[in-house]
Amino acid sequence: MTKVVKFGGSSLASAEQFKKVGDIIHADDARRFVVPSAPGKRFSDDIKVTDMLYGCYDLAAKGKDFEKEFNTIKERYYGIINELGLDLPLESEFDVIKACFIGKAGRDYAASRGEYLNGIILANYLGYSFIDAADVIFFDDRGVFDAKKTNDVLSKKLSSINNAVIPGFYGSMPNDTIKTFSRGGSDVTGSIVAAACSADLYENWTDVSGFLIADPRIVPDPMPITTITYKELRELSYMGATVLHEDAIFPVRKAGIPINIKNTNAPEDSGTMIVESTCQKPRFTITGIAGKKGFTVINIEKDMMNSELGFGRKVLEVFEKNGLSFEHMPSGIDTMSIIVHQEEFEPVEQEVLAGLHRNVHPDSIDIESGLALIAVVGRAMKSNRGTAGRIFASLAHAHVNVKMIDQGSSELNIIIGVQESDFESAVKSIYDIFVVHQL
Ligand code: ASP
């Protein structure tokens, strides 16, 4: 059995955390390949090493003195090395990095050194081999991840080795420069490594015991999600639930490898399993609730709209021309509503209105901003009657006015639009009816 284990920044922020990570890895022989992040925050207003590296490099790129900032980064690493009692001089590594900063090797190069150095330390601490991600993770000329080349090289490399540490977050371009994934991208590396070695499981270790049914900032102490499908996760992540990088799903999903989100500070917790599909019935009808504020709805009215061929296309064309993608499009017989991100809409508002008048000659257009969208997601909704009824009864009970409803034909989720001021009470009331009342 092979497991790929990825540890996030907070799991590797200090020597104390390194020790926990070491214990977790040594507790299971299957944990053969390890993907570390850079050291993260040790306390809430601490600074992540990645952010320190970006800051330091920005000074270097402007030709300013960055000695002080560079030394602070060095101290973070030496603090870990010394407390772990390792004999690991990194001076020559730091000299190379400093020279590359002066030579303006790029922000991606700078940021990647966080995982690179942490990988060297972790490999030394565990007694595992170190594989530089630049030698096994590749991007093409346009900076797009090259799955084929990576898989060929990486799977060959991993098949020849029993244990290794492969730093997360970066890879190399065809011209040998370093490129990183977007922030939080070590999750993606972990997924790529898991696919390349055909792992049985991808364990993603972080500082929470998996996904929660609702946002703990809204619902106090929400229940955890024990099993979630990739599709459900996608819906919830899109709506703001953040534990895992969005792009981390694709490589393992394609290879049919489940992901287990685990807590480094509570390894006995089972965490959340993310799977392709499951016959396991969820404990509650809903798997999770997520939502976001900051949407605008554009309501278009026109008599006999229903019989006007091409009306929808002409409306959407205006949004497309203005570079806006729409979130939802509920419609009536003579009305059509388009929901967009307020932030994206505001700068092109008047162009869109003019375009709509020109394209479809509506009777009226009404714009309402300050809308929040809530996604109630659950694979069990398909086989349960009355889910929508229960949602709306609970919202009415909480005096929340529902402004929009959208249920996809997959019956995996129901999207509800409410006023931003009603957002928190709406989420709470939905959680109560499906979870608290079912306990
Ligand atoms: N260190 C990088 C970041 O802070 C990548 C990661 O931690 O996944 O975004």
Side-chain angles (χ1 to χ4, degrees), residues 37 48 50 115 169 183-186:
S37 280
K48 288 177 162 197
T50 309
E115 308 358 62
F169 194 36
R183 293 300 302 264
S186 298

Side-chain angles (χ1 to χ4, degrees), residues 9 12 69 77 85 94 108 174 244 317 328 436:
L12 292 165
E69 287 71 13
Y77 284 109
F94 283 119
D108 280 18
L244 191 71
E317 195 179 69
H328 293 278
V436 178

